[in-house]
Amino acid sequence: MRITNRFRGFSTPSGGFTLVLGGGGARGLAHIGVLKVLEAKRLFPSMIVGTSMGAIIGGMYAQHPDAGWVEEKVRALLQSKSFLKIGLEALAQDGAPDGIGTVEKLYGRMKRGYGFLKSVWSAGIVEVPVLRQFLSRLLDDRAIEQCAIPFVAVSCNLMTGEEFACKRGPILLAVAASSAIPGVVSPVRLNGQYLVDGGPTSMVPVDAARRLSRQPVVAVNVTRGVRGTKRVANAIDVVLRAGAIARMQLTEYNLRDADIVVRPRVDSFGWADFASMDDLVREGERAARSMFWKISSAVRRNR
C-alpha cells in the first residue's frame, strides 16, 4: 500500500474515497471489521472522518493502516485490568426500553453517590487526563498532520452548538474531545473552545466529510434504532426515548448526503457491550462485504 497524501493543503488524491466512522460506543468495534474487508480488497480511504468511537478506531487506522494491528491493540486494552476495573460490563447487562441506551442509564447512576456529588462540583465524573491516558494506549502521541492517512476528529462545541472538525494539532486531545460524553467526561479545552462528544451534532459526521473532501463519501452507521416492543415504564423513560428518536432522525437526515451507507447489524448490542468484540467485528465484516461492490464502483467512477 502506498499513501501519498500527507496533508499538503489538506486535499485528497483523485480515485479514492472518504470514510466516515460514526459513534455508538462498543458498537463502533464493528468499524474494525469494515476496515479489515476494505484492506483485504486493497481499498484504502483517502481520508477518514470520525466521531466518538469512530474517531478512536479511525485515528488508529489513520496512524497505522493495518486493520489487524488495530484489532489486536483494541483487544489488548479491553482485556487489561485497568479497563475491566471500570465495570462497564454491568451496564451492558442492564435492561432498558428500546431506544434508551447505556449512556442514558449511566446518567441515571450519576444521580447516586459519588457520581452525583462530583457532577455537581465539576464538569464531568471522568477528567480529561484520565481519558487521554486510556487513549495513549491506542494512539501515538503525535500531531494529526503526521497521520499516514488524512484524519479528522469531529466533536461538538458546547458553547455554540456547532460541529467542530479538528484536522491538525495533538491527536490525543482531538480524539479525547470527540469521545468526551457530556456529563460523564469533562469538556476538552481546545483552541479556546469547550468540546464534547460529536454525537449531539452528528453521530455520523457526513456533513464534515462533505466540507473537507470532494471524494465519494462512504459512511458507517453503528447507531441503534428505536423500534421494538419493550415497555416504557415511566416519565423518565418517555423523555429518554424521545431524545433517542430525535438523535435517530438527525442521523438519518445526515446520512442522506453520503454516497454509500454501510450498516452493520448491531441493534442487539449495547453501548457498553465491549465483551462482544468478536461478534461486533464480524458484523462489520459482513456489512462491508455486502456493500463492497458499491464502494468499489464509486471509487472506479471517481478515477
Side-chain angles (χ1 to χ4, degrees):
M1 178 190 64
R2 185 184 177 207
I3 300 292
T4 58
N5 188 318
R6 299 293 292 190
F7 275 54
R8 295 191 186 98
F10 207 76
S11 61
T12 53
S14 61
F17 66 99
T18 296
L19 181 63
V20 181
L21 303 180
R27 295 189 293 273
L29 297 175
H31 294 319
I32 298 174
V34 173
L35 289 168
K36 288 175 70 174
V37 169
L38 294 178
E39 185 177 302
K41 299 291 187 179
R42 309 301 295 172
L43 272 184
F44 298 95
S46 304
M47 178 187 293
I48 300 174
V49 180
T51 194
S52 198
M53 183 59 77
I56 296 173
I57 301 300
M60 292 177 69
Y61 193 78
Q63 287 188 330
H64 301 278
D66 182 338
W69 178 89
V70 172
E71 182 177 17
E72 291 310 309
K73 196 81 169 176
V74 172
R75 191 184 306 279
L77 175 62
L78 297 183
Q79 294 175 349
S80 67
K81 291 182 179 180
S82 57
F83 183 84
L84 294 175
K85 284 181 180 178
I86 299 175
L88 289 178
E89 66 278 1
L91 289 175
Q93 296 168 2
D94 285 348
D98 292 357
I100 302 177
T102 306
V103 175
E104 285 81 2
K105 288 182 285 180
L106 186 59
Y107 288 146
R109 292 191 175 191
M110 286 169 58
K111 297 177 181 178
R112 301 192 297 270
Y114 173 75
F116 174 74
L117 292 175
K118 195 170 192 325
S119 66
V120 170
W121 297 107
S122 65
I125 296 175
V126 178
E127 299 297 336
V128 175
V130 176
L131 178 58
R132 287 189 64 176
Q133 183 179 11
F134 268 98
L135 292 175
S136 68
R137 300 180 62 175
L138 301 174
L139 294 156
D140 297 337
D141 190 7
R142 298 182 179 180
I144 294 178
E145 298 93 317
Q146 294 177 293
C147 287
I149 300 174
F151 170 68
V152 180
V154 178
S155 53
C156 170
N157 186 321
L158 191 60
M159 297 296 101
T160 67
E162 297 175 334
E163 188 176 72
F164 177 74
C166 186
K167 53 185 181 287
R168 58 179 59 88
I171 193 169
L172 284 179
L173 200 58
V175 174
S178 183
S179 51
I181 302 171
V184 178
V185 180
S186 297
V188 174
R189 295 186 183 185
L190 183 62
N191 298 331
Q193 303 180 79
Y194 283 86
L195 304 175
V196 296
D197 188 295
T201 49
S202 179
M203 286 295 290
V204 191
V206 173
D207 288 347
R210 282 293 185 200
R211 292 195 303 269
L212 294 166
S213 171
R214 297 180 181 177
Q215 309 297 331
V217 171
V218 177
V220 184
N221 178 28
V222 293
T223 58
R224 184 161 61 179
V226 297
R227 294 182 181 275
T229 58
K230 290 183 181 179
R231 187 170 64 93
V232 176
N234 52 48
I236 294 177
D237 286 350
V238 172
V239 171
L240 293 177
R241 185 176 174 86
I245 292 171
R247 287 192 297 275
M248 182 194 70
Q249 294 290 350
L250 176 61
T251 297
E252 290 301 322
Y253 179 81
N254 289 335
L255 287 171
R256 294 176 184 177
D257 287 333
D259 293 281
I260 296 167
V261 180
V262 180
R263 298 177 184 269
R265 296 182 178 179
V266 294
D267 276 13
S268 61
F269 299 93
W271 178 89
D273 202 359
F274 292 98
S276 299
M277 177 176 178
D278 290 339
D279 292 332
L280 287 160
V281 171
R282 278 194 291 270
E283 289 300 332
E285 291 175 326
R286 187 176 294 113
R289 290 193 194 99
S290 69
M291 298 296 292
F292 174 74
W293 69 271
K294 289 187 176 181
I295 300 172
S296 180
S297 297
V299 172
R300 286 198 301 270
R301 288 195 300 269
N302 192 50
R303 286 175 179 165

